[in-house]
Amino acid sequence: MEFLSDFLTKFGSQLQSPTLGFLIGGIIIAALGSKLEIPDAIYKFIVFMLLTKVGLSGGIAIRNSNITEMVLPALFAVVTGMLIVFIGRYTLAKLPGIRTVDALATAGLFGAVSGSTLAAGITVLEAEGIPYEPWAGALYPFMDIPALVTAIVVASIYTSKQKQSATAGEDLSKQEYLSKQEYLSKQSVAAGEYPGKQEYPTTRQEYRKQQRITASGYPREQQNRVKIWPIVKESLEGSALSALLLGLALGLLTRPESVYESFYDPLFRGLLSILMLVMGMEAWSRIGELRKVAQWYAVYALVAPLLHGFIAFGLGMVAHYATGFTPGGVALLAVIAASSSDISGPPTLRAGIPSANPSAYIGASTAVGTPIAIAVGIPLFVGLAQALMGS
Amino acid sequence: MEFLSDFLTKFGSQLQSPTLGFLIGGIIIAALGSKLEIPDAIYKFIVFMLLTKVGLSGGIAIRNSNITEMVLPALFAVVTGMLIVFIGRYTLAKLPGIRTVDALATAGLFGAVSGSTLAAGITVLEAEGIPYEPWAGALYPFMDIPALVTAIVVASIYTSKQKQSATAGEDLSKQEYLSKQEYLSKQSVAAGEYPGKQEYPTTRQEYRKQQRITASGYPREQQNRVKIWPIVKESLEGSALSALLLGLALGLLTRPESVYESFYDPLFRGLLSILMLVMGMEAWSRIGELRKVAQWYAVYALVAPLLHGFIAFGLGMVAHYATGFTPGGVALLAVIAASSSDISGPPTLRAGIPSANPSAYIGASTAVGTPIAIAVGIPLFVGLAQALMGS
Amino acid sequence: MEFLSDFLTKFGSQLQSPTLGFLIGGIIIAALGSKLEIPDAIYKFIVFMLLTKVGLSGGIAIRNSNITEMVLPALFAVVTGMLIVFIGRYTLAKLPGIRTVDALATAGLFGAVSGSTLAAGITVLEAEGIPYEPWAGALYPFMDIPALVTAIVVASIYTSKQKQSATAGEDLSKQEYLSKQEYLSKQSVAAGEYPGKQEYPTTRQEYRKQQRITASGYPREQQNRVKIWPIVKESLEGSALSALLLGLALGLLTRPESVYESFYDPLFRGLLSILMLVMGMEAWSRIGELRKVAQWYAVYALVAPLLHGFIAFGLGMVAHYATGFTPGGVALLAVIAASSSDISGPPTLRAGIPSANPSAYIGASTAVGTPIAIAVGIPLFVGLAQALMGS
């Protein structure tokens, strides 16, 4: 009883946090048709600042701490990332009217990690004074990369099996037939919507276009064998992970305390508020894309963040009792799992699963997944960690 | 006597303030041909930061204060905004060689409010330690929107009357004839200057182009009936007012104190200094436009800010003695009246009074009106408020 | 002995400074193919912020100090700037396979000053608590402009002499013949590489394109007489020097202390760290250009910054014993001499020595000169100043 009231109080107070306020504010002003615009250059700069800060604080912390503590949580992050893809494979992909490759790409994106959601989670922990391992932010790549690699590998195996059955003249199962039909009809309908180079409609076009160009370096035609290293490399080279790893390395190998304390740390919270505003406006502008695809994507995007978060939360509690992983760390692991990638994931998936429809996965993640992860997931898992493990 | 010396001291010390220094510095380096450039993305970001800060502090303040105090000043703001348009209608529009629609658009712009001038006024009050109602910044829309609506409605009524007289075969009065003639001659002369899409020459082209596109949503051909709601809606959707109202709502409904105190408030003054530099450079670059139109625009732009400020100052003093409106609040109301819109006003007027010549109103406002409001208006009204009502 | 160990300790501790860490980090992530990108708008804004800060602090300091102290260091800055060009004329230009005009342009660029390197030097002095004359940053133009003017004038005299010899039918000396041959062969080879407008390959294209356009105001065809004023004017109008001089003027003539202490000063170090990251990434991306030209440019770019720094350091020590120029000031004068221009210099040289190959001078400066000046020059001269003159 006390647990429940305790939890509800924590949950309630989160709803008035500036992080959430700016997110919802962004959705509302976009819905009202405001011309307010945060320039792309500012958006990219804020992402750089936030993830460099997360990296720097992680690097400085690792320098003075016992790195072996990180082994179990990192392992659990890898497991969660891979599990999320298989959950998508056996739930979303089995639903009527859903193409398997689209489902895999969507699950890959929901397994991948959002730097902004991570930053929002850290802010809440700091505002509440809940301690967490400063290296917890460094769990990001341990979940992000396995999720993307698994999604691309599974999609590739699936696609080549499909081709073999087709050439062998075997009958397609009813469901696959349906999704194939739908695919063909969709292709003709959507011809004007995402043809050739413009098939990735986005207000952050330029940014992503550039990423797309660099991404085109590796073969789009998936052969029977999927090369894993290019996928890993592309993830690591993405702007968000690059900034995080750069910060980590600088924190570990140099003495950036002066610049961290005078610049990166004090600006963190404020810049995050602006990023949340952008996420909110972006979420609203993506709603349209979600309407074009099967309604099941919206259902998945509503449920999956919390389901993924609970899985990671459970694993995190195991680490809590086994190696003393802090409640704050457990909450952060759950937030990372609840988040879905908004910056680096989409170009990797586009290159890795070229047959998937970007409207499906980007719409689901940006318009529904991210707002749910931030507005519901963060207060939920932080409140739960406090109520279950004290703090 | 003491009043005068007191006032002169206050006025003099303002001339060395960084706000004014950066404004004049911007004019000078632009005049000397400097290639220094503040990128557009930075400019837009600064406007967002400043108006969100003004909104947030207003919202936080309103949450803890008696909102009925705001009624009289808000009413006076509305009255001033409408009055400014009628003053323009019966002074500027009556001058030789001035087209009535151009005069109305110019008066509308001078009645509308500049977020940067408002921010500069707030900075001076804070630097001087003069108390003011924190909701005073929220008077912005109460003057801005009535001024724009009045200008567009009066211009529309005027234009349709003109058409009726023309079709009825009635003689045009000499003056109207003159202005019609001038209009026609100007149209042929100016064909190369503001034809079609390029008729709005600006260094901030992209920004405004985008605003123009969104603005094109409502009918450019004014019928007999003017719809007021689209004008109000477009004003509210402008980037400056959006940021202010977003901040206001967040300040009222959430608890943004942490992010306000660690980010928006401390950066305010510094960002304003950069904005002033941009305003100065912009003012210089607009001088050329002003030269193309009748000299009376320059005269109007020199006199009007102070005249409008005095009107609002007088009304503010009524509120001071009636309901205890603070001297700082009175000064701010006068500064709001003295300011002329530089960001959101022009696109609204272009859409609302399509027959008016943008060179006339933008040149007058940016090149002369804004520098006068900041460099003369702010120290004048702040000094006057201190000298007349103590502080 | 003690001197040496003292110096080595100081030198070693610099290698862990965040400034250097971010520079090397930038080189490494660019080499690893990271897609991390600091938008151009942010880059320009940072340069503005840093140089305005340097200017403001200089202006505020000059207001309260004895300006005659500046005479000797300023004179030495002028001498160093001119000397650097003549050193290039009689070393680099005499090497096999080097065209004289290319050598002169390169020497001019290495004589010109880098605002970022200057800012990095100031940060190190402040982090170490070493006092320096706050007007020392204002020595920038005293070295920058003479170097550029000398390089352009000497190149012009050389070119017109060449023409006279050619028309007079005189034999070219073997070396000049060689370089002429090489020039012609290079022109045909490089036709696709830097033809017409695209001959200046750069990731910061837009920025420089704009500068180029403004630069095109003065005659590209050098006549017998070189006009010096346009070169000086163009240098002063460059964005970096403009910001520095604006800050200086505002610091001298207004009271910007409030905005300096709340904004420009606290953000200085953090913004510099980002600028260093950009410099590192830029250095890596320029390596390719350096490969296209003679290897001697790389050798020159490695040696010249330190040689130039030592010359200025020696002159600075004279000023130290003659008029009490502080050790920190001596170190900064040496850092200014070691730096090579990365923003304002290239367009001036392109306009002033149009026959020179930009790949030679920009590659040498950005890819090697600047990293050497920051990573080796700054710790070297700061350590040397402390060891030789105490602090």
Side-chain angles (χ1 to χ4, degrees), chain B residues 277-294:
Chain B
L277 187 69
V278 176
M279 308 294 281
M281 296 193 288
E282 189 89 333
W284 180 260
S285 75
R286 295 287 179 175
I287 284 281
E289 276 169 54
L290 204 55
R291 285 207 197 105
K292 292 184 213 158
V293 295

Side-chain angles (χ1 to χ4, degrees), chain B residues 214-272:
Chain B
T214 10
S216 67
Y218 78 86
R220 278 162 183 267
E221 282 304 313
Q222 297 297 125
Q223 306 306 122
N224 272 8
R225 285 239 192 119
V226 194
K227 297 219 179 76
I228 289 176
W229 174 237
I231 311 171
V232 176
K233 189 165 180 293
E234 191 176 354
S235 295
L236 292 172
E237 283 171 357
S239 50
L241 253 183
S242 281
L244 188 120
L245 295 173
L246 172 74
L248 211 57
L250 289 172
L252 259 174
L253 305 172
T254 69
R255 294 277 171 279
E257 278 82 350
S258 63
V259 87
Y260 174 78
E261 276 152 31
S262 71
F263 188 70
Y264 292 95
D265 190 39
L267 291 176
F268 186 71
R269 225 185 252 205
L271 291 174
L272 181 71

Side-chain angles (χ1 to χ4, degrees), chain B residues 178-251:
Chain B
L178 187 81
S179 64
K180 265 219 151 171
Q181 278 295 87
E182 198 206 16
Y183 180 32
L184 292 169
S185 75
K186 212 168 239 161
Q187 272 201 320
S188 50
V189 168
E193 281 165 9
Y194 59 104
K197 285 193 176 172
Q198 264 138 345
E199 78 192 349
Y200 188 9
T202 161
T203 54
R204 307 225 164 264
Q205 258 177 340
E206 242 195 303
Y207 185 34
R208 282 152 181 172
K209 192 170 77 188
Q210 182 246 338
Q211 289 188 309
R212 207 151 62 223
I213 290 161
T214 10
S216 67
Y218 78 86
R220 278 162 183 267
E221 282 304 313
Q222 297 297 125
Q223 306 306 122
N224 272 8
R225 285 239 192 119
V226 194
K227 297 219 179 76
I228 289 176
W229 174 237
I231 311 171
V232 176
K233 189 165 180 293
E234 191 176 354
S235 295
L236 292 172
E237 283 171 357
S239 50
L241 253 183
S242 281
L244 188 120
L245 295 173
L246 172 74
L248 211 57
L250 289 172

Side-chain angles (χ1 to χ4, degrees), chain C residues 30 199-205 208 278-293 342 346 358-368 371:
Chain C
E199 79 192 346
Y200 188 10
T202 161
T203 54
R204 309 224 164 265
Q205 260 177 340
R208 283 152 182 174
V278 176
M279 308 295 281
M281 295 193 289
E282 188 91 334
W284 180 261
S285 76
R286 294 287 179 174
I287 284 282
E289 276 169 53
L290 203 55
R291 284 206 197 106
K292 291 184 213 158
V293 295
D342 33 63
S359 286
Y361 56 83
I362 297 173
S365 166
T366 309
V368 181

